[in-house]
Amino acid sequence: MNTPLPPQFRVSQSPIARHKSTVKIGKLRITLLTSRLLRIEYSPDGKFEDRPSQAFWYRDHPTPDFHSGAQGDFFSLETDHLVLTYDLKRDTPQALSIFIKENAHTWHYGDAPTGNLRGTFRTLDGVDGAIPLELGLVSREGWALVDDSQSLVFTTEGWLTERDTSPTHDLYFFGHGTDYQGALNDFFAVAGRVPMIPRWALGNWWSRYWAYTDQELITLMDEFAAHNIPLAVCIVDMDWHITDTGGKGSGWTGYTWNTDLFPDPKKFIGELHQRKLRTALNLHPHAGVQAHEAMYEAMAKWMNQDPTTEAPISFDIADPRYTQGYFEILHHPHEAIGVDFWWIDWQQGEKTRLRGLDPLWWLNHLHFYDLGRDAQKRPFIFSRWGGLGNHRYPIGFSGDTHTTWASLAFQPYFTSSATNVGYSWWSHDIGGHMFGVEEGELYARWVQYGVFSPIMRLHSTKNQYSERRPWGWRSAEIEKVAGDAMRLRHALVPYIYSMAWRNHTHGVALINPMYYTHPKTESAYFAPQQYWFGSEMIVAPYTSPIDEDTGVSRQAVWLPEGNWYDFESGRRYAGGGWMCIYGDLRHIPIFVKDGGIIPLAPITGENDTPLPQTIHLHRYGDADGWFVLYEDDGTSNAYTTGDYAETVINAVAGGAMQITPPPTHRDYLPANRSWVHHHHHQERDIRAECEALLWRFTMNTWVKDEISKRLADFIQDPLVLRDFITYLTPAQIRALCETAHGVGVHQLTKDMGVDEAFILWNRHNRADFRYTYTQVDATKRIWDSKPLTSEGGVVPTEKIITPVKPSDDEHLLKTHARLRVDYFGLVVVEF
């Protein structure tokens, strides 16, 4: 490498473990990173790698307690949590095993990761529904293995290079049992923490693949303001640059403003900033620099290439000299006129001339550190997942999904599972990107989900019928629902930003799967469409359309033990099991724990995400609660030196709230701030919930009236509905019974990202709530087929049925599962 790298790319790393933490035995070197995280290297010639790899940078940690020794042909090493055993006589990787004390599970080298809880995936481009995810760092078997053998390593100058050691195994063994957060914390300790993102990134984003003029885009931003809908970011997609190159190259790649659309880019960006909006420009850098570019001559000379030939300058991010010109010539001038960050829209392959270097991984790394080169501005990129270690480069762009209910149904699971590799800041195309059928209801539900996702960004492809403006649907209801949701997003920023600080300092993501807090509860693993949203809330967005008969959406929710409160109404729900939630288009299933405290900014249409003068403290239930409101200037790195404010809020029995301000007042905090206390605690009214369902049912109004008169009887005895059986549809009976009697059944489908399963619950142990389940070999004729499994009876308090997976035998390649549930003899629901 002849070109010295700029200083921003020389990242501080501490890759060499302490001498006491390493044990060499035979051809093996074991590094104790923590009591539950071991690095295991196997090298035939005894040469090992000490340089930082792409994912693992910090191996210098205190040595955990351990003891080791050999007895006969076996070597063992024991920590507080693990026992490693190695057959010295064999002295090969296959001689290795590790016993996990918590669950008494023994891992052997080569074991398949059958219990792995998965992580995330590079992109959802072209995906309609669900896809398989990469392996994660946590598993129901208590172990996860990262094979780092083929990764590149950093030089002292901050560049990547191939390993120069002989062929070897370089493994990281996570033996954390059910302490999933502990596994992540150990990972962050050796791979680096999740950075603190700018506060404004948590507001609403506008983005669309469309050839706007500058005035059209400014007018659109003003239309959002006129509709009292706040924004924080306005992305400019690829048409900001010249796309018609006159045959001189790909129009996807570009660095020269299209002055037909943007005659004065600096003025345009200034107008966005005047409206308190940040902006990014879209990049497709794969085609290098073509002769039509305004900076072609400067870049050609920089690369020692004759500009008069007009030969393309190839994209070569593996070349340090090209990389320096790439930033200083192609990007920094745009930042000088106000571009706040970059959208790295990389889709063009996974190889460079440096063997093993994925250009996306490297682009994410370099862009992140380049944007923070002044050591004042918080680095921030917008790009696809490049692989393990990319948690250091927020945020993620998940790609071009299809606009379908199946795609929406997959995103809650996809987002929460990304926590399993520490990737906590995904941004989705809210509303879907392309194809599909554009529906107002689907759009509204997607926006509601977007509010309770890490980044709320509206986006779509270049199609006039892909509508993402709330008012563009020409429906007062859709406009109100989407507009209310987007206003709520900005009100939530004080809460979400405090969770971003928690993510940075304690490694706990904004969004967590349910099994992080309840790893030993089976139901927590069968709730892919709900998740923790911060420390106080569980969110279970509606992801299927409103039923024609009931007029409402349906979502099954599992709530842990304790009291839970509806975020909007304050209605109390008893946890400790499953339930079905029904709601109209304006409702979102959000539950706050007993004692939960949610700090909200006022509901306004104001752009940006300023520190609010008035904070509304919403307290739920009567249990004691505690919340730390984190605030800083929102954009700089001053927080790294302690320049931030933490306000401690306590809710104590009896309804009192205690607010402890930060010990030192900061200039950015509003003076004379006011606090408004809202206490939510309303007992659940089953009759009122049934009445609300009746109002929505598609049904003869006389029948509705008669059922309403007998609701009190029905709540005591579901068989009251027999008198109306000819007027009620199965969906209506099911809704009333699930709401009033604590019974229900829910099907998990592959669209949700998980294997098919059935969940049944009977919280009051009603003997007349029954089921039958069979699974048969679908390759045989019905009269020849014998059930692979069959069961039935009274539905227990809680039951999860997972179909038997087909074996590799040819005659069991296909099966058919059938579940019949009898709701009190009133209706049979079949799957």
Side-chain angles (χ1 to χ4, degrees):
M1 185 178 68
N2 299 321
T3 303
L5 281 174
Q8 63 265 31
F9 301 129
R10 298 171 192 166
V11 183
S12 175
Q13 298 162 323
S14 55
I16 300 177
R18 301 182 186 187
H19 177 71
K20 292 182 178 180
S21 298
T22 61
V23 177
K24 291 183 181 179
I25 187 74
K27 298 171 184 175
L28 211 64
R29 182 173 78 164
I30 305 163
T31 304
L32 292 95
L33 298 167
T34 74
S35 181
R36 295 180 289 184
L37 174 56
L38 305 179
R39 184 189 188 196
I40 305 168
E41 299 167 275
Y42 178 85
S43 176
D45 62 7
K47 295 180 180 179
F48 300 99
E49 180 63 77
D50 283 328
R51 289 173 292 182
S53 68
Q54 288 174 268
F56 300 101
W57 293 4
Y58 309 103
R59 305 188 191 105
D60 181 10
H61 294 286
T63 304
D65 292 335
F66 78 98
H67 58 86
S68 63
Q71 185 173 3
D73 291 335
F74 290 91
F75 167 82
S76 65
L77 180 150
E78 183 173 0
T79 72
D80 291 342
H81 297 91
L82 307 174
V83 180
L84 178 148
T85 304
Y86 189 60
D87 186 342
L88 296 171
K89 190 174 181 179
R90 296 167 64 192
D91 199 13
T92 65
Q94 290 72 21
L96 184 67
S97 65
I98 300 176
F99 176 76
I100 303 164
K101 294 181 181 180
E102 180 196 317
N103 62 359
H105 179 90
T106 300
W107 166 84
H108 301 86
Y109 177 86
D111 283 354
T114 54
N116 195 280
L117 289 165
R118 299 289 161 175
T120 192
F121 198 73
R122 185 183 184 102
T123 181
L124 297 180
D125 286 332
V127 171
D128 182 4
I131 57 171
L133 303 181
E134 299 171 8
L135 295 176
L137 300 175
V138 299
S139 166
R140 295 199 70 178
E141 292 181 321
W143 65 270
L145 192 71
V146 175
D147 187 345
D148 202 42
S149 309
Q150 302 302 314
S151 71
L152 302 175
V153 293
F154 282 87
T155 66
T156 54
E157 292 84 10
W159 202 250
L160 286 175
T161 187
E162 293 184 65
R163 301 180 182 222
D164 53 15
T165 56
S166 62
T168 184
H169 292 71
D170 190 355
L171 310 175
Y172 288 80
F173 182 86
F174 293 78
H176 291 76
T178 56
D179 186 0
Y180 304 141
Q181 187 60 54
L184 281 185
N185 290 343
D186 281 357
F187 173 66
F188 294 142
V190 294
R193 293 193 293 180
V194 178
M196 190 66 183
I197 65 173
R199 184 182 177 95
W200 49 260
L202 300 176
N204 296 314
W205 297 27
W206 172 262
S207 176
R208 190 185 186 194
Y209 178 28
W210 195 263
Y212 289 107
T213 67
D214 54 357
Q215 287 308 305
E216 286 173 338
L217 205 42
I218 291 296
T219 298
L220 177 59
M221 297 300 98
D222 290 342
E223 288 178 347
F224 270 93
H227 285 85
N228 200 36
I229 298 175
L231 294 172
V233 176
C234 175
I235 296 273
V236 188
D237 211 315
M238 62 171 288
D239 287 287
W240 72 270
H241 63 72
I242 294 171
T243 57
D244 183 359
T245 67
K248 293 183 178 181
S250 169
W252 285 90
T253 297
Y255 304 98
T256 305
W257 284 90
N258 182 343
T259 53
D260 290 337
L261 300 179
F262 300 91
D264 190 340
K266 183 176 181 180
K267 179 183 177 184
F268 162 69
I269 295 174
E271 290 192 33
L272 289 179
H273 287 167
Q274 287 173 14
R275 289 162 174 77
K276 301 178 182 178
L277 299 171
R278 269 71 173 193
T279 191
L281 304 181
N282 177 278
L283 296 175
H284 291 89
H286 71 288
V289 185
Q290 309 293 324
H292 71 277
E293 301 282 11
M295 63 290 294
Y296 172 78
E297 182 176 356
M299 190 67 177
K301 290 179 178 178
W302 173 258
M303 294 302 297
N304 299 313
Q305 186 170 315
D306 182 1
T308 63
T309 66
E310 296 193 347
I313 303 168
S314 298
F315 173 79
D316 190 0
I317 203 67
D319 176 12
R321 184 163 182 83
Y322 179 89
T323 298
Q324 186 172 351
Y326 172 82
F327 285 108
E328 294 181 1
I329 297 172
L330 305 182
H331 292 83
H332 291 179
H334 296 298
E335 293 174 30
I337 64 170
V339 172
D340 296 289
F341 64 106
W342 297 95
W343 175 9
I344 309 161
D345 198 359
W346 179 265
Q347 303 165 312
Q348 294 79 29
E350 301 178 9
K351 295 181 179 179
T352 64
R353 65 183 178 91
L354 176 57
R355 186 175 60 179
L357 178 60
D358 183 333
L360 175 60
W361 197 100
W362 198 222
L363 281 166
N364 290 350
H365 173 88
L366 295 172
H367 268 281
F368 180 83
Y369 283 104
D370 183 70
L371 199 63
R373 62 189 177 275
D374 64 358
Q376 301 298 317
K377 181 178 181 179
R378 291 183 200 175
F380 181 77
I381 66 168
F382 181 39
S383 181
R384 288 170 173 81
W385 159 256
L388 202 63
N390 268 224
H391 68 281
R392 297 186 297 255
Y393 321 125
I395 60 171
F397 161 55
S398 66
D400 303 339
T401 56
H402 286 205
T403 304
T404 60
W405 285 99
S407 290
L408 172 60
F410 178 54
Q411 288 190 358
Y413 168 78
F414 178 80
T415 310
S416 62
S417 293
T419 300
N420 295 337
V421 286
Y423 202 59
S424 46
W425 294 111
W426 266 125
S427 169
H428 305 302
D429 285 8
I430 298 302
H433 184 77
M434 59 188 179
F435 306 141
V437 177
E438 293 281 346
E439 306 172 56
E441 182 191 356
L442 174 59
Y443 165 78
R445 291 303 193 203
W446 221 318
V447 169
Q448 289 172 337
Y449 165 68
V451 168
F452 291 93
S453 67
I455 301 295
M456 166 57 191
R457 177 182 55 87
L458 299 171
H459 188 68
S460 69
T461 192
K462 190 180 286 188
N463 185 314
Q464 64 175 321
Y465 297 105
S466 294
E467 181 58 77
R468 297 296 174 265
R469 301 168 302 167
W471 63 91
W473 290 90
R474 300 174 175 83
S475 163
E477 183 177 29
I478 298 300
E479 178 180 349
K480 176 170 176 53
V481 168
D484 285 349
M486 294 180 71
R487 284 182 283 271
L488 175 60
R489 174 68 185 202
H490 276 235
L492 281 164
V493 167
Y495 174 78
I496 301 174
Y497 195 58
S498 298
M499 296 301 111
W501 177 246
R502 182 183 70 157
N503 191 196
H504 172 66
T505 55
H506 293 91
V508 184
L510 169 68
I511 287 178
N512 275 315
M514 298 305 299
Y515 49 76
Y516 268 55
T517 53
H518 295 78
K520 297 184 179 180
T521 303
E522 191 69 11
S523 286
Y525 297 90
F526 289 85
Q529 294 203 303
Q530 66 180 77
Y531 48 87
W532 283 99
F533 188 74
S535 59
E536 315 293 289
M537 301 186 201
I538 291 173
V539 178
Y542 293 117
T543 59
S544 57
I546 288 173
D547 182 85
E548 291 183 1
D549 292 336
T550 64
V552 288
S553 293
R554 177 183 184 272
Q555 184 61 282
V557 181
W558 174 73
L559 294 178
E561 291 287 346
N563 290 324
W564 296 85
Y565 297 85
D566 181 89
F567 173 70
E568 183 177 1
S569 69
R571 183 183 303 141
R572 183 178 70 85
Y573 291 86
W578 288 88
M579 64 185 66
C580 267
I581 302 298
Y582 291 87
D584 62 19
L585 192 59
R586 300 187 182 190
H587 181 246
I588 313 171
I590 308 165
F591 303 90
V592 185
K593 67 183 184 183
D594 197 1
I597 300 170
I598 312 293
L600 297 182
I603 301 286
T604 72
E606 180 183 5
N607 282 348
D608 199 11
T609 56
L611 300 181
Q613 179 67 49
T614 299
I615 291 184
H616 293 261
L617 295 177
H618 292 259
R619 178 192 178 178
Y620 291 80
D622 292 323
D624 291 352
W626 176 81
F627 190 88
V628 178
L629 175 66
Y630 173 86
E631 296 172 299
D632 59 23
D633 66 17
T635 58
S636 80
N637 290 322
Y639 70 91
T640 61
T641 60
D643 188 4
Y644 58 84
E646 289 184 310
T647 301
V648 179
I649 305 161
N650 285 288
V652 297
M657 298 285 284
Q658 298 173 348
I659 299 171
T660 305
T664 304
H665 181 78
R666 305 295 182 178
D667 291 340
Y668 43 76
L669 291 177
N672 301 316
R673 171 177 274 172
S674 59
W675 304 81
V676 181
H677 177 207
H678 307 263
H679 189 193
H680 303 273
H681 186 168
Q682 177 181 324
E683 287 303 313
R684 190 175 178 191
D685 186 337
I686 298 296
R687 175 166 184 157
E689 291 181 36
C690 291
E691 284 278 12
L693 286 172
L694 288 174
W695 273 102
R696 291 286 180 177
F697 282 1
T698 302
M699 179 190 292
N700 183 286
T701 54
W702 176 85
V703 178
K704 284 188 182 184
D705 189 56
E706 291 301 310
I707 294 176
S708 177
K709 292 175 183 176
R710 298 188 64 188
L711 277 179
D713 295 333
F714 163 70
I715 291 168
Q716 297 298 317
D717 179 7
L719 296 184
V720 167
L721 291 186
R722 282 184 173 174
D723 295 342
F724 307 96
I725 198 73
T726 59
Y727 302 99
L728 289 161
T729 69
Q732 291 167 345
I733 294 173
R734 184 183 182 190
L736 287 169
C737 289
E738 288 183 339
T739 299
H741 293 286
V743 301
V745 57
H746 184 61
Q747 182 182 21
L748 300 183
T749 67
K750 294 194 174 188
D751 282 344
M752 300 174 188
V754 295
D755 291 335
E756 184 181 23
F758 303 97
I759 304 164
L760 301 98
W761 61 95
N762 186 2
R763 300 187 69 174
H764 304 307
N765 297 314
R766 298 294 304 252
D768 41 3
F769 181 47
R770 306 179 67 84
Y771 79 105
T772 58
Y773 174 76
T774 57
Q775 187 176 358
V776 298
D777 181 352
T779 64
K780 293 189 175 183
R781 293 171 298 182
I782 294 176
W783 52 85
D784 291 333
S785 180
K786 294 182 179 180
L788 300 175
T789 182
S790 179
E791 62 178 276
V794 175
V795 175
T797 304
E798 184 172 300
K799 185 173 185 63
I800 298 171
I801 301 175
T802 55
V804 176
K805 290 187 177 180
S807 72
D808 292 331
D809 296 337
E810 184 177 350
H811 72 287
L812 290 182
L813 290 179
K814 288 185 178 181
T815 66
H816 176 69
R818 184 181 183 187
L819 177 70
R820 292 168 54 92
V821 181
D822 187 336
Y823 281 73
F824 310 111
L826 296 169
V827 62
V828 173
V829 177
E830 294 187 333
F831 297 93

